[in-house]
């Protein structure tokens, strides 16, 4: 248990009905006794897990606020330490006054993520589960939140632990045969070893397959709306977002910079970017906007290419179609203004590997089909987004890749009929690397860096 006691506001900043101050550490109950005066009795003997109503007092015994004290005794708390939570009114001024009062009473300011870091250090959470806490807070969709909850519940941790358990069994059999040959311990058979290595390698590869899906649920799909000026790109953005986010006029080139919004379609988070129209820029500002559009197109994971279905294809349209034929990103072609006289046909886009949809962003027709198509394309692109064991951090993916290389080397060594001690080296390497994901074999600097990315109060 960490010696010092920390405190911080645990609820979001801003006015609210209730705000919570969390205090954790060996002196948490002592801090509570100094600053909280119950309406009945006293806090000489604090009963854990029982709410106490009373007053939060200043150093001169004046009243700062009325509130509720919730005490929790170690190790049965979020951090694994003695914890008290003070529920008071949610105004920023009163919360700040209560927080300062806890510091006067002996606590110190909690660093970013320090409560969750203590939960990890005290064995309440492994590192993969701890990172799920922050993912739940930052979730951009219901599906993202579900994936974060499954991570917190141990979906990824259990997969990693199962692989490590199998590797440890293989290592133990190999090393027993090496260390105690006189005890007639049978050497690990090649068939059994091959089965263990193949199963572990397959499980690691399965996790790597889900890595991009995990990243999408955490970060969102970068979706870029492109097209020449005045085809309805901003109207499409507004229709998908559900608000007048972008200015819409009949004047071409209204959007001169990139407008970004986050939306969720069937539980899939999208980073939606409305870009400047693709055309020969007439001034320096427009040139910058078009250059940014070009860059975002190169980086896009999903492109919504918008054309005006009420007019013939222009030279700029043909240039965009030629680029779409060469792009690797998933693409959906949208013929907008289908409520007007329709001129364009699906055949106009031959050679582009993309569905063609007729929509009217202004009238709202065809948008449900667009949402369904987006969800289907992302699902096809990324696989099963419902799997709870989805690694989504660069460090996790990199660790899985290193573990996969060790297992591949172990398979080669076994096939070459070399000594089992050489196989053991690679299996031990994979075992230790997978432990990094759970936080069992990482250094303190990495742990500090991971938790520093958490929000204050968590």
């Amino acid at each position: 248990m960490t010696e010092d006691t920390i405190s911080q506001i645990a609820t979001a900043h801003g006015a609210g009905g209730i705000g919570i101050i969390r205090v954790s550490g060996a002196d948490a109950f002592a801090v509570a006794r100094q600053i909280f005066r119950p309406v009945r009795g006293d806090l000489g003997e604090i009963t854990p897990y029982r709410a106490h109503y009373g007053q939060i007092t200043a150093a001169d015994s004046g009243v700062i606020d009325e509130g509720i004290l919730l005490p929790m005794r170690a190790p049965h708390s979020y951090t694994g330490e003695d914890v008290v939570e003070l529920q008071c009114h949610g105004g920023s001024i009163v919360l700040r006054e209560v927080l300062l009062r806890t510091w006067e009473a002996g606590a110190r300011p909690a660093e970013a993520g320090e409560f969750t870091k203590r939960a990890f250090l005290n064995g309440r959470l492994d590192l993969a589960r701890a990172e799920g806490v922050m993912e739940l807070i930052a979730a951009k969709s219901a599906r993202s939140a579900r994936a974060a909850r499954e991570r917190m519940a141990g979906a990824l941790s259990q997969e990693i632990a199962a692989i490590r358990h199998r590797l440890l069994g293989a290592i133990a059999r190999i090393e027993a045969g090496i260390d105690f040959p006189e005890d007639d311990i049978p050497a690990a058979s090649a068939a059994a070893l091959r089965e263990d290595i193949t199963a572990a390698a397959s499980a690691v590869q399965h996790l790597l397959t889900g890595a991009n899906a995990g990243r999408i649920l955490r970060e969102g799909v970068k979706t870029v709306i492109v097209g020449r000026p005045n085809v309805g790109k901003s109207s499409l953005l507004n229709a998908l977002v559900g608000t007048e986010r972008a200015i819409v006029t009949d004047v071409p080139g209204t959007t001169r910079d990139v407008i970004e919004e986050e939306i969720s379609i069937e539980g899939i988070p999208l980073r939606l970017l409305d870009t400047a129209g693709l055309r020969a820029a007439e001034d320096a500002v427009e040139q910058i906007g078009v250059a940014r559009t070009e860059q975002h197109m190169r980086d896009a994971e999903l492109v919504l290419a918008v054309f005006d279905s009420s007019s013939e294809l222009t030279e700029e349209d043909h240039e965009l179609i030629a680029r779409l034929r060469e792009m690797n990103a998933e693409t959906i072609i949208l013929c907008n203004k289908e409520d007007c006289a329709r001129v364009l046909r699906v055949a106009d886009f031959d050679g582009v590997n993309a569905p063609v949809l007729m929509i009217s962003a202004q009238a709202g027709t065809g948008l449900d089909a667009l949402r369904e198509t987006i969800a289907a394309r992302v699902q096809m692109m990324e696989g099963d987004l419902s799997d709870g064991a989805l690694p989504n951090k660069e460090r996790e993916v990199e660790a899985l890749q290193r573990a996969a290389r060790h297992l591949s080397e172990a398979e080669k060594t076994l096939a070459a009929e070399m000594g089992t001690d050489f196989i053991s080296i690679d299996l031990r390497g994979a075992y230790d690397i997978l432990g990094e994901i759970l936080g069992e074999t990482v250094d303190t600097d990495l742990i500090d860096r991971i938790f520093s990315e958490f929000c204050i109060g968590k």
Side-chain angles (χ1 to χ4, degrees), residues 40-61:
R40 296 179 182 176
D42 57 48
L43 288 180
E45 291 295 330
I46 296 179
T47 304
Y49 317 108
R50 179 177 178 180
H52 303 263
Y53 171 68
Q55 297 173 330
I56 302 165
T57 60
D60 61 3
S61 297

Side-chain angles (χ1 to χ4, degrees), residues 20-96:
I20 297 175
I21 307 290
R22 177 180 286 162
V23 186
S24 179
D27 294 329
F29 285 13
V31 170
R33 291 188 183 96
Q34 289 188 60
I35 70 174
F36 189 83
R37 186 165 59 213
V39 171
R40 296 179 182 176
D42 57 48
L43 288 180
E45 291 295 330
I46 296 179
T47 304
Y49 317 108
R50 179 177 178 180
H52 303 263
Y53 171 68
Q55 297 173 330
I56 302 165
T57 60
D60 61 3
S61 297
V63 177
I64 298 175
D65 195 14
E66 293 183 348
I68 295 173
L69 175 72
L70 293 174
M72 287 158 272
R73 180 71 73 181
H76 304 296
S77 70
Y78 178 72
T79 63
E81 303 173 327
D82 286 348
V83 170
V84 295
E85 290 187 353
L86 293 159
Q87 294 186 5
C88 51
H89 292 97
S92 58
I93 299 300
V94 67
L95 280 171
R96 184 66 181 172

Side-chain angles (χ1 to χ4, degrees), residues 66-391:
E66 293 183 348
I68 295 173
L69 175 72
L70 293 174
M72 287 158 272
R73 180 71 73 181
H76 304 296
S77 70
Y78 178 72
T79 63
E81 303 173 327
D82 286 348
V83 170
V84 295
E85 290 187 353
L86 293 159
Q87 294 186 5
C88 51
H89 292 97
S92 58
I93 299 300
V94 67
L95 280 171
R96 184 66 181 172
E97 289 180 347
V98 175
L99 180 62
L100 290 173
R101 183 70 183 101
T102 65
W103 296 347
E104 290 176 356
R108 69 159 174 82
E111 299 173 357
E114 191 169 3
F115 292 107
T116 306
K117 180 180 177 181
R118 291 190 175 201
F120 165 70
L121 293 174
N122 291 325
R124 293 283 293 166
L125 299 168
D126 62 45
L127 196 53
R129 294 186 186 191
E131 289 182 297
V133 173
M134 201 62 215
E135 289 176 19
L136 183 59
I137 294 171
K140 295 178 173 64
S141 70
R143 191 174 288 188
S144 302
R146 184 173 70 243
R149 284 193 294 268
E150 289 175 349
R151 173 182 273 253
M152 288 173 58
L156 178 60
S157 301
Q158 289 163 11
E159 292 270 1
I160 296 294
I163 300 171
R164 297 183 82 219
H165 179 75
R166 184 150 200 164
L167 291 176
L168 190 61
I171 293 167
R173 289 196 301 273
I174 291 173
E175 295 186 352
I178 294 171
D179 294 340
F180 306 104
E182 71 280 1
D183 292 339
D184 296 326
I185 298 176
S189 69
L193 273 179
R194 185 175 296 107
E195 181 180 350
D196 286 336
I197 296 170
T198 301
S202 176
V204 168
Q205 191 56 50
H206 173 75
L207 291 175
L208 281 169
T209 301
N212 207 34
R215 180 193 58 78
I216 279 179
L217 289 178
R218 183 168 63 91
E219 299 177 3
V221 180
K222 183 174 182 180
T223 305
V224 180
I225 305 174
V226 297
R228 63 176 169 84
N230 215 31
V231 295
K233 299 187 300 298
S234 295
S235 295
L236 176 62
L237 175 78
N238 291 339
L240 291 174
V241 173
T243 185
E244 295 297 314
R245 177 64 179 86
I247 297 173
V248 176
T249 72
D250 293 331
V251 179
T254 304
T255 302
R256 311 188 87 185
D257 199 357
V258 176
I259 300 174
E260 182 170 348
E261 283 290 321
E262 292 183 353
I263 65 171
S264 174
I265 291 181
E266 294 193 19
I268 301 169
L270 268 63
R271 294 167 50 216
L272 195 60
L273 286 79
D274 178 22
T275 61
L278 289 168
R279 66 171 177 175
E282 297 178 355
D283 57 52
V285 175
E286 193 172 12
Q287 287 175 2
I288 294 172
V290 172
R292 290 180 178 177
T293 299
E294 299 276 359
Q295 181 60 51
H296 284 302
M297 281 188 68
R298 288 191 289 270
D299 297 339
E301 295 170 288
L302 177 64
V303 173
L304 304 181
V306 185
F307 299 85
D308 184 348
S309 68
S310 65
S311 65
E312 298 286 349
L313 293 174
T314 67
E315 181 180 347
E316 292 158 335
D317 290 330
H318 283 295
E319 290 177 358
L320 176 56
I321 291 171
R323 292 190 59 183
L324 294 176
R325 291 192 181 107
E326 300 174 355
M327 290 185 64
N328 293 322
E330 287 290 326
T331 303
I332 301 173
I333 292 174
L334 303 174
C335 296
N336 192 29
K337 307 181 185 179
E338 64 93 23
D339 51 327
C340 303
R342 186 187 302 175
V343 174
L344 295 185
R345 302 165 302 160
V346 173
D348 292 322
F349 304 96
D350 285 349
V352 181
N353 183 23
V356 179
L357 303 180
M358 299 292 174
I359 68 166
S360 172
Q362 189 166 4
T365 56
L367 295 183
D368 286 342
L370 171 58
R371 294 185 181 96
E372 291 173 3
T373 303
I374 289 174
R377 301 300 281 192
V378 174
Q379 196 78 29
M380 183 174 61
M381 178 172 55
E382 304 305 340
D384 187 5
L385 293 171
S386 64
D387 188 346
L390 296 174

